[in-house]
Amino acid sequence: MTRTINASRRRFLRAASAMSVVGTAGAPFALNLLTMGAAAAQTADDYKAIVCLFLSGGNDHANTVLATDPTSWNDYLSVRTTTEAGSIALPAVGTPGGVLPISPAAGHAGRSFALHPSLGPLKDLFDAGRAAIVANVGPLIAPTTKDQYRARSVPLPPKLFSHNDQQSLWQAYQPEGAKFGWGGRMGDLLASMNANTTFTSISASGNAVFLAGQTINQYQVNPSGAVPIGGLTGSLFGSSAGANPLQAIISGGGNHLLEKDHAAIVRRSISAQGVLSAAMLPAGATGIPNPSQYTNPNTGALANNPLATQLQTVARVIGGRSGLGARRQVFFVSMGGFDTHDFQRTSQADLMAKLAHALSYFDSTLSALGGSDLRNQVTLFTASDFGRTFTSNGDGTDHGWGSHHFVVGGAVKGRNIYGDFPVTGLGHALDVGSGSLLPSISVDQYGGTLAGWFGLNPTQVAEVFPNIANFSNRNLGFMA
């Protein structure tokens, strides 16, 4: 009996230690999971979903959202127009293929703004009030000035300007190797609002640390639905009779603890696949049209848009939320190709066209599924490794830091730019080298604002975002 109790105690201690997170927030996080989650569940009578759209490779923000007042535009042209064929400056407002003017609702006196020429459908969402821009966001541990950065007199995020590490920092506050992301940690706290917690954290784009929680595991889907265990359907080694014996073997377990745990996971996976297959709306069903093709701005040719297909998959899961018993869900989608060291002008034009086309498709699909109510319940935000340098390398740009991002949805206080839009050019107070921006808004502030809308109280927000206590403005105000 004593040995059994001691073994159970050891398992409990190991589980408790695994609950720790960065900084001093770990202990209250572990202690509050059950009480806070239960309290949230008692008051839940709605549905909300957050979708992270990760632009892998580091999007060039300076050609995505541009300041076009005369001083800013002249400084933009003076740096980004080069004598080489690889000039990356975009045409002006009102010229053929020129940048698209936008009119933020408030602030930014004396300045005017525009979007990349390929972002027409996103401009429509911005003008309609269902999209906002958050300026100069990036990983920060504490507010940092240029002098403090140079002197290393404040804590700085590790391994800046590294693709893999900065992707991880954006998603999980630690460089590559992090185990838990802030999307998954939000899911940890609110999973008890869902009848089936398996479908709290869902990726339509493979494995993502953003979705990994301490208690919640991410669930991966693809356009075919749940990712199945191979061999359990159809023919196995040429025999249709092989599936049942295989399922019995992999889900039957044994006497060893690891065998039992593995078998339990397999059984849950098989069960979850059945639940999702029954609940998830089929592609092409009412309210889930197949995405139209987008137009490649470089060639004029029509092509399929993989990002739109990912967002269709997300919409199909959202459409089955009642069958899944879901009230809070966190999703992850992504598109690559943003490492524009070369051929930036043409590469980014195509990427921006895909982005805008997919976001417009997702907005209209949510409306077809549930009108303005469902639009108000789903918020999508963009993230990326980092911004890029303002200077050209002759045919593109290099790794930077801060970047501008989009938030899209019916609950977004749209048609506005949040945060101080940086000075255009070089040598200003936020230029840490070649026009790379020192962020003025931290990922903690950006994510914390989304988390507050999602349903986390201030204590929970502080647990999920370990550095937010270092910032005075913890809600950027872009969510209704």
Side-chain angles (χ1 to χ4, degrees):
M1 179 69 175
T2 301
R3 293 180 63 183
T4 302
I5 293 173
N6 287 338
S8 299
R9 181 175 179 272
R10 285 193 297 271
R11 290 193 190 98
F12 172 80
L13 291 174
R14 285 196 298 268
S17 67
M19 299 286 284
S20 61
V21 294
V22 176
T24 58
F29 186 96
L31 294 174
N32 289 336
L33 263 177
L34 293 177
T35 56
M36 289 184 172
Q42 291 171 4
T43 60
D45 58 358
D46 61 341
Y47 174 82
K48 286 184 179 179
I50 285 179
V51 183
C52 173
L53 165 50
F54 205 90
L55 311 178
S56 298
N59 179 45
D60 183 87
H61 62 283
N63 272 11
T64 302
V65 184
L66 308 90
T68 56
D69 52 274
T71 298
S72 298
W73 189 253
N74 288 336
D75 289 339
Y76 169 81
L77 292 179
S78 69
V79 178
R80 291 215 149 188
T81 301
T82 66
T83 57
E84 305 108 26
S87 172
I88 57 173
L90 298 172
V93 172
T95 61
V99 294
L100 306 174
I102 56 173
S103 299
H108 312 286
R111 306 193 76 181
S112 58
F113 301 94
L115 299 179
H116 189 285
S118 295
L119 290 176
L122 183 53
K123 170 180 159 56
D124 292 341
L125 292 176
F126 184 90
D127 292 343
R130 295 197 299 279
I133 296 161
V134 185
N136 195 16
V137 186
L140 287 172
I141 295 174
T144 304
T145 67
K146 185 175 177 178
D147 288 341
Q148 289 171 329
Y149 167 75
R150 287 176 168 173
R152 302 299 195 264
S153 58
V154 296
L156 296 174
K159 300 185 179 180
L160 290 168
F161 315 112
S162 159
H163 281 294
N164 292 349
D165 294 299
Q166 295 308 300
Q167 289 177 9
S168 185
L169 273 174
W170 255 94
Q171 298 180 38
Y173 300 116
Q174 295 182 46
E176 188 176 19
K179 296 181 179 179
F180 309 118
W182 56 271
R185 296 203 298 267
M186 288 195 299
D188 284 333
L189 288 170
L190 299 182
S192 62
M193 300 170 91
N194 298 331
N196 189 335
T197 60
T198 300
F199 304 109
T200 301
S201 177
I202 298 178
S203 174
S205 185
N207 189 44
V209 69
F210 172 75
L211 292 176
Q214 275 119 342
T215 59
I216 290 297
N217 295 315
Q218 59 185 295
Y219 192 85
Q220 297 182 29
V221 297
N222 60 31
S224 299
V227 178
I229 298 174
L232 294 188
T233 58
S235 175
L236 179 63
F237 300 119
S239 171
S240 59
N244 289 338
L246 175 62
Q247 180 167 331
I249 292 169
I250 64 176
S251 63
N255 294 325
H256 193 279
L257 182 61
L258 290 178
E259 290 179 308
K260 291 180 179 179
D261 284 349
H262 177 266
I265 292 170
V266 170
R267 288 194 296 270
R268 287 198 299 271
S269 297
I270 294 171
S271 175
Q273 181 183 346
V275 172
L276 184 64
S277 297
M280 186 176 176
L281 299 185
T286 301
I288 308 286
N290 291 318
S292 64
Q293 294 183 309
Y294 84 105
T295 301
N296 184 319
N298 300 314
T299 65
L302 292 172
N304 294 329
N305 186 348
L307 177 60
T309 302
Q310 288 182 53
L311 289 173
Q312 181 191 41
T313 301
V314 171
R316 291 166 58 198
V317 176
I318 291 174
R321 62 195 181 279
S322 296
L324 299 175
R327 294 183 183 271
R328 290 293 184 274
Q329 291 184 293
V330 186
F331 294 91
F332 183 87
V333 298
S334 70
M335 62 184 301
F338 287 91
D339 192 14
T340 49
H341 286 285
D342 298 303
F343 309 110
Q344 179 171 304
R345 191 76 186 263
T346 54
S347 297
Q348 193 184 29
D350 188 42
L351 291 166
M352 293 291 100
K354 291 177 182 176
L355 173 66
H357 170 264
L359 293 179
S360 178
Y361 165 80
F362 191 54
D363 174 79
S364 62
T365 298
L366 291 176
S367 178
L369 275 177
S372 59
D373 287 345
L374 188 56
R375 273 177 171 164
N376 293 341
Q377 293 171 320
V378 181
T379 299
L380 179 147
F381 71 94
T382 64
S384 191
D385 316 17
F386 35 61
R388 304 192 78 84
T389 57
F390 195 71
T391 56
S392 170
N393 62 12
D395 199 14
T397 51
D398 289 309
H399 302 181
W401 192 353
S403 185
H404 312 318
H405 287 284
F406 298 105
V407 188
V408 181
V412 175
K413 295 164 71 172
R415 205 167 67 82
N416 217 341
I417 297 176
Y418 292 84
D420 295 327
F421 201 89
V423 172
T424 300
L426 302 173
H428 52 78
L430 297 177
D431 177 8
V432 296
S434 301
S436 175
L437 289 178
L438 172 64
S440 52
I441 291 175
S442 72
V443 176
D444 296 69
Q445 293 169 289
Y446 185 50
T449 303
L450 291 162
W453 169 80
F454 198 47
L456 274 67
N457 63 41
T459 300
Q460 293 171 312
V461 171
E463 292 172 2
V464 172
F465 299 94
N467 300 315
I468 202 166
N470 298 328
F471 299 89
S472 58
N473 184 6
R474 302 176 190 180
N475 189 324
L476 301 176
F478 58 77
M479 297 301 299

